[in-house]
Amino acid sequence: RYAEFVEASGSVRSLAETARSWGLDRVDQEDLPLDGLYSPPPGSTGGNSTHPTHVYVIDTGVFSAHEDFAARMGNESFDAFGGDGNDGHGHGTHCAGTAAGSSYGIARNSTVHAVRVLDDNGSGSTAGVIEGMSWVATQVALHEGEPAVASLSLGGGFSQAMNDAVQSLVDAGVVVVVAAGNDDSDACLGSPASAPAAVTVGSTTSTDARSGFSN
């Protein structure tokens, strides 16, 4: 039998890297113990994507000039306080770095959008958060066919209106990830943590135990 073609043998390497934090190490494997490595999801690092993921950080804004987001900040931003979406607090930038930063993030090829609904003291209103989510829904419609994730590491008392806004985003095709809260209480008592359609995330330790403060 004749060979169909001849090709030089190339090199193949693992995509795993040394984990820069135990959190990164934990999210890429189902079970303990941690192996000290992190394997980025396919398409999450470098290169061009036909359908880039949009990460909407609904928080205190994002420090857009940070080197970890170089050339990946979306042209559009929202600011409930009339600004430009820039972060004067730090929490939103921290969350954006966890989701999409080039150093410690997971989706390192995604486009980051600042949705500033909390002020420089880290405070805001239910109305402001809902307005920010409504803006995200509008943007998602403009980027039809491109994956979108909304991050809300914030919370307050139970609000049916906010939970409904989460449902509307999910219905629009957005994966909505929210914080369970840090009060060592029932997440079902607050919003958006209690929204049935949200991916509500609590805090755990490196041994998979619930952090003492986590809802």
Side-chain angles (χ1 to χ4, degrees):
R1 183 177 180 180
Y2 296 99
E4 293 184 6
F5 61 89
V6 177
E7 178 181 276
S9 179
S11 61
V12 179
R13 63 182 177 84
S14 168
L15 295 179
E17 61 187 47
T18 300
R20 297 184 180 182
S21 71
W22 71 260
L24 277 178
D25 190 359
R26 187 67 191 90
V27 297
D28 76 337
Q29 60 185 77
E30 292 188 16
D31 302 307
L32 294 175
L34 300 176
D35 61 8
L37 300 173
Y38 172 62
S39 298
S44 67
T45 58
N48 297 315
S49 174
T50 304
H51 299 292
T53 298
H54 295 269
V55 177
Y56 295 90
V57 183
I58 305 176
D59 211 285
T60 61
V62 177
F63 177 43
S64 60
H66 197 291
E67 60 184 11
D68 271 22
F69 311 122
R72 292 191 295 114
M73 289 298 302
N75 294 324
E76 311 90 357
S77 64
F78 172 85
D79 196 315
F81 305 95
D84 58 3
N86 206 40
D87 189 1
H89 180 276
H91 188 262
T93 302
H94 161 74
C95 293
T98 300
S102 60
S103 295
Y104 296 94
I106 295 173
R108 302 174 189 173
N109 198 35
S110 60
T111 301
V112 180
H113 300 270
V115 186
R116 185 171 178 252
V117 298
L118 304 179
D119 62 21
D120 290 354
N121 295 314
S123 299
S125 67
T126 299
V129 174
I130 293 174
E131 186 179 1
M133 285 194 281
S134 178
W135 178 85
V136 171
T138 300
Q139 293 301 309
V140 169
L142 295 175
H143 298 284
E144 185 177 0
E146 298 177 2
V149 176
S151 166
L152 293 94
S153 187
L154 51 78
F158 181 87
S159 167
Q160 187 60 55
M162 186 179 292
N163 287 359
D164 288 347
V166 170
Q167 182 65 60
S168 294
L169 273 186
V170 173
D171 290 344
V174 181
V175 177
V176 181
V177 184
V178 308
N182 301 329
D183 305 311
D184 187 24
S185 61
D186 188 347
C188 293
L189 302 177
S191 292
S194 60
V199 179
T200 301
V201 181
S203 172
T204 60
T205 69
S206 59
T207 60
D208 282 1
R210 181 179 69 88
S211 300
F213 58 81
S214 183
N215 292 354

